[in-house]
Amino acid sequence: MFARISGAATLGLGGHVIAVETDISNGLPSFDLVGLASTSVKEAKERVRAAIKNSGYEFPMRRLTVNLAPADLKKDTSGLDLGLAIAILASSGQIPLEACADCLFLGELALDGEIRPVNGVLPMVIESAAQGVKSVFVSSKNGAEALLCPSVTVYTAESLSHVAAHLKGDAPLKPITAQEGASDILDYDLDFSEVQGQAEAKRALEIAAAGGHNILMIGPPGSGKTMLAKRIPTILPPLGKQEALEVTKIYSVAGLLREGQLMRRRPFRSPHHTISRAGLVGGGTIPHPGEVTLSHHGVLFLDELPEFPRSVLEVLRQPLEDGIVHIARVNAALSYPSRFVLVAAMNPCPCGRYGFDDDCTCSENNRHRYIHKISGPLLDRIDLHVRVARPAYGDLVASHGAETSATIRDRVLEARARQAARLAAYDCYCNAHMGHREIKETCCLSSPARDMLREAFDLLRLSARSYDRLIKVAQTIADLSGAEQIEERHVAEAISYRNKM
Amino acid sequence: MSGVTEETMYAAALQSLPGLGSRRLKTILDRYRSAKAAWNATWDDDLRRRLRFSTTSFGKLIEERNVFNWDGFSRKLSFYGVRPIALWDDDYPCWLSFIAQPPLVLFCQGMLKADRYTLAMVGSRKASPYGLNAAETLAMNLAERGITLVSGGARGIDTRIHAGALKGKGRTVVVVANGLDRTYPRENKRLFRDIVEQGGAILSEYTFGTEPRAQHFPARNRIIAGMAAATVVIEAALGSGSLITADFALEEGRDVFAMPGSIFAETSKGTNRLLQMGAMAVTDTDDILQVFENRGWLLPTAAAEIGEAVDLDETEKQVLKALSMERAIPAEDLMLATGLALPKLLHTLLRLQLKKAVEELPGGYIRCAAAAIRL
Ligand SMILES: Nc1ncnc2c1ncn2[C@@H]1O[C@H](COP(=O)(O)OP(=O)(O)OP(=O)(O)O)[C@@H](O)[C@H]1O
Ligand SMILES: [Mg+2]
Ligand SMILES: [Zn+2]
């Protein structure tokens, strides 16, 4: 008998509905799985066979053919196990096929029939719902995540036998409902008020957050660079609903979603400098999202920037430029979103003291070599450079409170609103993403600002390439101060955050 | 090459042969009376013995002479804008011709004059902000008074001396230890070009293709000291190259000045020692100018027009007061000292930079004496 059941797989960040078609006919006992299945699906055969037997059902000893359609999709998920088992039970008449209509089955099976959680549930459920699926069966650990899609009924089950019993009508499962109490409040457990002093660095970070600018912090060891960087997400605007869903999908596919909660915090990723290119931008036979994608809508922090191999940093150019990474593979060409704020930190020299303490022990040559390890094209995409000096003792023990993240974030939000309004007609929403055309058409400088810019270019020998970057930063500073146009003081401050290397 | 005599060209070619330094070149010229004659003569064993060459290296030398690429040499001279200047030429630096072993030929980019008002200024590559600031200030003031400065082309003090001279709209000369077809350090390319454009020069004793080797530097230092009426050492550690330059100056009977520094600073140990040994202390520009005047040399009064006084507003004055001339102060501390909000402070600091009264260092901001004096 023939049966068709819905399962799903992911490719990149997209979910795809997979039709699991089974046919049982007379003939020598066999089990054929067709439809370009990857190794993990082939292993599924063995798991499914054992799970069915150990759940008190019969594995048909006839000629069994399974087709996974569409055939040209590279499927890489053990999440098809459950659908496979249900399809076999239905086509062998052990459960009624009608009961499986409009249902999606997602889960990996253990040999004893237990249903295990899988990655990528959210995008798979969203896509299935769009294609008419009404009920979803998943492991209890995937329940909350499946519920993020509001238009489906979610059933969670411990094992294959529970699902089968439900479908037969013997022991109906109860649909689960969203747990109340999962608060909407953004609670980062970090706050800017914990950082004493550091007015200059904090101001630069506020500008970075307000305009979405990439930033480089330079300072001696222990000056608080890492501490500052970790707090940037707390002053970025809260994730919008759409953004939150996008981020959650990414983490779902990467298997990093904890307890199936919607991601409300902006991601903060800080890969170690030993990371590979594939780890950074994504890779693998079926490409997995890399750190740039995991930082989508959040912060990618590269600590000790000069320690990263040049070849690894070079691959950041595309995501920094386009907010997207394309990964070409023989089997698939994928794109992952990767719109993040790059925050980098470095010491001023190998010993870390140059310019901040008198006893730097590095030779001129060593210092130059250290700084020149960073690729120029990468530096060109960093709008703000800021010094982070070691805080004075007095700052550390000061009792007067520093500004809280919430206060700073309010200013950031206002500045963002101005940008969004000004850039409404364009394909971007914050100053950092403006291209040459947007700058020309939307940024307006007062004439003293223009004069100062011209003078500064001559005297400070700024490169032509830094021009656009300066205007963008000046525009953000103007937006923070609520000014209608870019004034001299905004330009001056922007210049003080220029690349000084 | 226009204006270069045949004799000078032959001298330049001779100096380009491997192994021929100023001592040997003098022997050759003494024997043949002219560079052209020397080039075309048959170089016999008698010459070899006088030059103290081994047979093999002498053979190599003759071979090099025989295959010398005149065309290529002339092309490089014009490509790099280099003019050879020989001991007998009018624009050979006048002080230099008096030293024990003057270079036969100087390769020169830019302009040389036989001027007497030259002053060598040297100092270490690794200098303190105090040293850098002083170097630039002194150089600027001296240049404004029409004095030509001479120094090396290294990072640190050397670079700041030339920068100061340019600010003072004066002439400055860089003496390097490599061929003029290359630039060390690379980041000074633009500085060197500005120097040439402003009437100064880049000089070298070495022909094209020569790398700056450690053994070239003492010889180079003799040219720096030799070109100048007096040598000023800004900051120098014990055993540093700047002290070698001072030694050359003393041997040639020229005046040596040293700038006093902190007794704790390694970079001032050498200069403080010079002072102890009797060098004249530099406390301001006049200390140096005085010596020139004592010798009866009339200085061209303010050859360059002195820049008009910079006027500062109250906030700028307030920030300037909070700054030091000896070390960089981070913006953080300036906020505390002035009570200004950061955006306002940064704005003021940039305006002061545009007025050349402040400079930005990796660790913060420093007050430039170079401009402050004129306030
Ligand atoms: N401004 C500050 N206010 C409060 N605590 C601080 C501050 N700066 C540094 N600290 C303390 O010092 C520790 C070291 O700071 P952090 O690790 O951020 O320095 P870093 O600049 O990243 O150093 P490294 O270059 O060694 O990575 C922090 O964990 C914090 O406890
Ligand atoms: Mg750190
Ligand atoms: Zn160092």
Side-chain angles (χ1 to χ4, degrees):
Chain A
M1 200 175 115
F2 173 80
R4 181 187 284 130
I5 295 291
S6 296
T10 55
L11 183 65
L13 294 185
H16 294 268
V17 175
I18 305 283
V20 184
E21 301 166 344
T22 49
D23 184 55
I24 298 180
S25 55
N26 289 326
L28 283 176
S30 69
F31 185 178
D32 286 325
L33 231 176
V34 294
L36 224 162
S38 67
T39 353
S40 69
V41 175
K42 288 194 183 111
E43 286 165 3
K45 283 206 295 200
E46 301 314 315
R47 289 196 301 269
V48 168
R49 193 195 303 267
I52 288 180
K53 279 184 180 163
N54 294 328
S55 300
Y57 291 87
E58 212 172 283
F59 193 83
M61 291 306 285
R62 281 181 290 165
R63 192 183 148 86
L64 171 59
T65 311
V66 179
N67 180 36
L68 302 176
D72 58 352
L73 191 73
K74 178 93 179 166
K75 304 165 197 78
D76 179 38
T77 170
S78 37
L80 289 170
D81 285 7
L82 182 60
L84 207 53
I86 296 294
I88 291 170
L89 292 181
S91 70
S92 58
Q94 302 180 73
I95 55 172
L97 182 57
E98 315 81 65
C100 305
D102 297 334
C103 291
L104 171 72
F105 300 93
L106 284 179
E108 181 182 326
L109 289 177
L111 298 183
D112 62 0
E114 185 202 341
I115 303 174
R116 290 180 171 157
V118 293
N119 292 340
V121 166
L122 180 60
M124 292 193 281
V125 170
I126 288 179
E127 174 61 20
S128 306
Q131 297 199 15
V133 162
K134 302 260 180 326
S135 310
V136 177
F137 293 83
V138 289
S139 141
S140 56
K141 294 209 175 74
N142 282 144
E145 185 180 343
L147 266 186
L148 293 177
C149 175
S151 56
V152 291
T153 309
V154 178
Y155 297 96
T156 60
E158 292 309 319
S159 68
L160 174 59
S161 57
H162 290 156
V163 177
H166 171 86
L167 294 170
K168 285 201 294 186
D170 292 351
L173 298 165
K174 263 213 253 141
I176 60 161
T177 48
Q179 281 197 338
E180 286 312 318
S183 65
D184 264 11
I185 299 164
L186 269 165
D187 50 341
Y188 290 94
D189 31 21
L190 300 170
D191 199 277
F192 257 102
S193 58
E194 291 149 9
V195 185
Q196 301 287 346
Q198 301 296 16
E200 200 179 3
K202 283 185 187 172
R203 167 75 178 167
L205 292 176
E206 177 177 336
I207 296 169
H213 302 284
N214 301 321
I215 181 168
L216 172 64
M217 294 186 280
I218 305 173
S223 55
K225 302 184 290 293
T226 308
M227 189 180 188
L228 285 160
K230 284 200 173 131
R231 283 160 179 77
I232 299 175
T234 69
I235 57 167
L236 286 168
L239 279 179
K241 213 175 167 59
Q242 198 51 42
E243 290 175 322
L245 214 52
E246 264 179 71
V247 174
T248 309
K249 272 192 195 176
I250 293 171
Y251 277 69
S252 167
V253 167
L256 294 173
L257 205 56
R258 260 178 247 126
E259 293 164 16
Q261 296 294 332
L262 188 68
M263 303 265 304
R264 292 177 187 285
R265 299 178 185 187
R266 294 202 176 254
F268 177 86
R269 304 290 300 181
S270 56
H272 190 252
H273 56 71
T274 50
I275 192 173
S276 65
R277 292 165 65 127
L280 198 56
V281 290
T285 22
I286 292 186
H288 284 285
E291 291 292 336
V292 294
T293 301
L294 294 174
S295 356
H296 184 53
H297 290 317
V299 171
L300 177 65
F301 178 47
L302 302 181
D303 207 352
E304 318 287 354
L305 188 63
E307 302 296 331
F308 284 80
R310 243 168 191 272
S311 59
V312 170
L313 292 184
E314 287 291 322
V315 299
L316 282 177
R317 281 161 73 169
Q318 192 196 28
L320 282 174
E321 198 77 352
D322 309 329
I324 199 165
V325 271
H326 301 291
I327 304 167
R329 285 291 180 281
V330 184
N331 301 312
L334 287 179
S335 323
Y336 284 117
S338 57
R339 189 56 89 203
F340 52 86
V341 174
L342 175 69
V343 177
M346 64 182 283
N347 293 337
C349 66
C351 88
R353 293 189 285 256
Y354 180 76
F356 292 88
D357 285 314
D358 288 337
D359 47 357
C360 164
T361 52
C362 308
S363 72
E364 189 84 13
N365 273 339
N366 279 346
R367 244 183 52 228
H368 274 255
R369 207 166 318 128
Y370 181 74
I371 286 169
H372 288 289
K373 274 202 231 163
I374 309 166
S375 87
L378 181 66
L379 282 181
D380 279 345
R381 288 168 178 78
I382 297 182
D383 296 342
L384 295 155
H385 289 233
V386 70
R387 260 187 300 268
V388 183
R390 220 173 267 141
Y393 178 75
D395 280 338
L396 288 180
V397 298
S399 53
H400 62 267
E403 259 185 332
T404 62
S405 292
T407 318
I408 304 174
R409 191 171 60 225
D410 286 345
R411 290 196 297 264
V412 168
L413 281 170
E414 265 177 52
R416 286 267 177 143
R418 286 179 161 273
Q419 297 168 51
R422 192 178 49 246
L423 295 169
Y426 300 86
D427 190 22
C428 61
Y429 55 90
C430 66
N431 291 335
H433 303 164
M434 289 192 293
H436 195 67
R437 175 170 147 244
E438 284 82 7
I439 294 175
K440 267 201 114 118
E441 294 176 6
T442 68
C443 298
C444 100
L445 282 88
S446 72
S447 85
R450 236 170 251 291
D451 290 346
M452 159 156 292
L453 201 56
R454 188 170 331 104
E455 235 182 298
F457 258 76
D458 271 2
L459 185 81
L460 303 171
R461 301 187 166 174
L462 304 180
S463 72
R465 254 178 313 184
S466 57
Y467 183 84
D468 281 2
R469 284 207 302 276
L470 269 179
I471 306 269
K472 287 196 267 189
V473 173
Q475 179 66 64
T476 302
I477 295 172
D479 286 333
L480 274 170
S481 73
E484 286 310 319
Q485 60 173 354
I486 303 175
E487 305 289 349
E488 185 191 338
R489 59 181 191 279
H490 306 136
V491 170
E493 192 180 350
I495 291 174
S496 75
Y497 304 122
R498 71 192 181 278
N499 177 359
K500 293 152 205 159
M501 291 199 280
Chain B
M1 285 256 85
S2 64
V4 179
T5 62
E6 197 181 42
E7 187 58 10
T8 297
M9 276 301 270
Y10 276 106
L14 279 171
Q15 192 164 308
S16 297
L17 296 179
L20 292 187
S22 48
R23 188 196 303 252
R24 282 173 170 152
L25 286 168
K26 183 167 188 315
T27 313
I28 295 178
L29 282 188
D30 282 350
R31 175 158 174 190
Y32 296 104
R33 308 265 158 205
S34 96
K36 184 178 180 183
W39 184 272
N40 294 316
T42 316
W43 290 356
D44 53 20
D45 209 47
D46 177 47
L47 181 69
R48 180 187 72 77
R49 260 176 276 119
R50 287 197 201 194
L51 294 180
R52 297 168 196 273
F53 268 122
S54 70
T55 342
T56 36
S57 28
F58 194 60
K60 257 216 228 115
L61 176 68
I62 294 177
E63 179 56 23
E64 287 283 346
R65 178 186 64 164
N66 293 344
V67 303
F68 188 77
N69 181 355
W70 280 101
D71 262 2
F73 186 59
S74 309
R75 240 179 296 122
K76 276 202 178 138
L77 287 173
S78 63
F79 183 80
Y80 291 104
V82 171
R83 217 162 67 86
I85 297 171
L87 206 40
W88 47 78
D89 288 324
D90 287 342
D91 43 4
Y92 192 89
C94 68
W95 283 104
L96 191 59
S97 50
F98 298 125
I99 71 170
Q101 267 158 34
L104 176 63
V105 169
L106 289 171
F107 293 95
C108 168
Q109 256 169 350
M111 201 168 56
L112 262 194
K113 284 196 212 138
D115 47 7
R116 284 189 297 172
Y117 310 111
T118 50
L119 188 76
M121 279 179 82
V122 293
S124 61
R125 268 173 299 175
K126 260 184 85 171
S128 69
Y130 159 64
L132 295 172
N133 215 344
E136 188 165 327
T137 311
L138 289 171
M140 185 187 85
N141 290 323
L142 290 163
E144 274 179 347
R145 299 298 301 274
I147 296 208
T148 301
L149 295 169
V150 186
S151 187
R155 301 184 177 113
I157 298 273
D158 288 5
T159 297
R160 297 292 282 255
I161 286 166
H162 299 302
L166 291 182
K167 277 189 190 167
K169 304 262 183 289
R171 299 185 59 228
T172 185
V173 176
V174 190
V175 187
V176 299
N178 49 268
L180 292 180
D181 51 347
R182 38 208 74 195
T183 306
Y184 298 97
R186 294 197 57 80
E187 75 257 21
N188 275 356
K189 229 178 165 124
R190 168 146 185 187
L191 174 72
F192 291 178
R193 205 172 57 218
D194 290 349
I195 288 172
V196 170
E197 272 170 16
Q198 205 169 300
I202 319 296
L203 289 187
S204 175
E205 191 179 4
Y206 301 98
T207 193
F208 298 114
T210 314
E211 299 287 336
R213 290 175 190 281
Q215 69 263 27
H216 293 168
F217 284 92
R220 191 278 311 253
N221 292 347
R222 102 185 182 284
I223 300 178
I224 294 178
M227 281 181 67
T231 293
V232 182
V233 187
I234 298 291
E235 269 190 333
L238 288 174
S240 66
S242 306
L243 294 188
I244 299 182
T245 313
D247 273 346
F248 272 117
L250 288 173
E251 270 170 39
E252 298 295 341
R254 316 271 167 92
D255 291 322
V256 171
F257 293 88
M259 187 182 80
S262 157
I263 60 170
F264 301 116
E266 285 304 323
T267 47
S268 285
K269 291 234 154 80
T271 33
N272 287 345
R273 170 75 58 82
L274 282 175
L275 290 169
Q276 205 171 30
M277 293 183 336
M280 285 177 276
V282 181
T283 60
D284 61 20
T285 324
D286 284 339
D287 291 340
I288 300 168
L289 294 176
Q290 200 62 52
V291 171
F292 280 77
E293 273 160 28
N294 288 348
R295 305 206 164 178
W297 297 332
L298 291 177
L299 285 173
T301 41
E305 84 251 37
I306 309 251
E308 59 212 74
V310 183
D311 48 279
L312 301 179
D313 66 23
E314 281 311 309
T315 321
E316 286 169 342
K317 280 186 194 152
Q318 189 190 355
V319 171
L320 209 55
K321 249 189 235 138
L323 285 161
S324 151
M325 288 199 224
E326 296 184 4
R327 59 187 182 87
I329 298 184
E332 195 81 21
D333 298 359
L334 294 173
M335 281 174 67
L336 284 180
T338 59
L340 292 174
L342 186 71
K344 174 107 184 169
L345 174 68
L346 293 176
H347 182 195
T348 312
L349 283 167
L350 186 76
R351 282 207 316 263
L352 286 168
Q353 283 179 74
L354 295 179
K355 291 175 178 172
K356 302 194 170 94
V358 163
E359 194 152 337
E360 193 171 358
L361 298 180
Y365 298 84
I366 190 168
R367 178 170 167 180
C368 294
I373 301 187
R374 292 201 225 137
L375 298 178

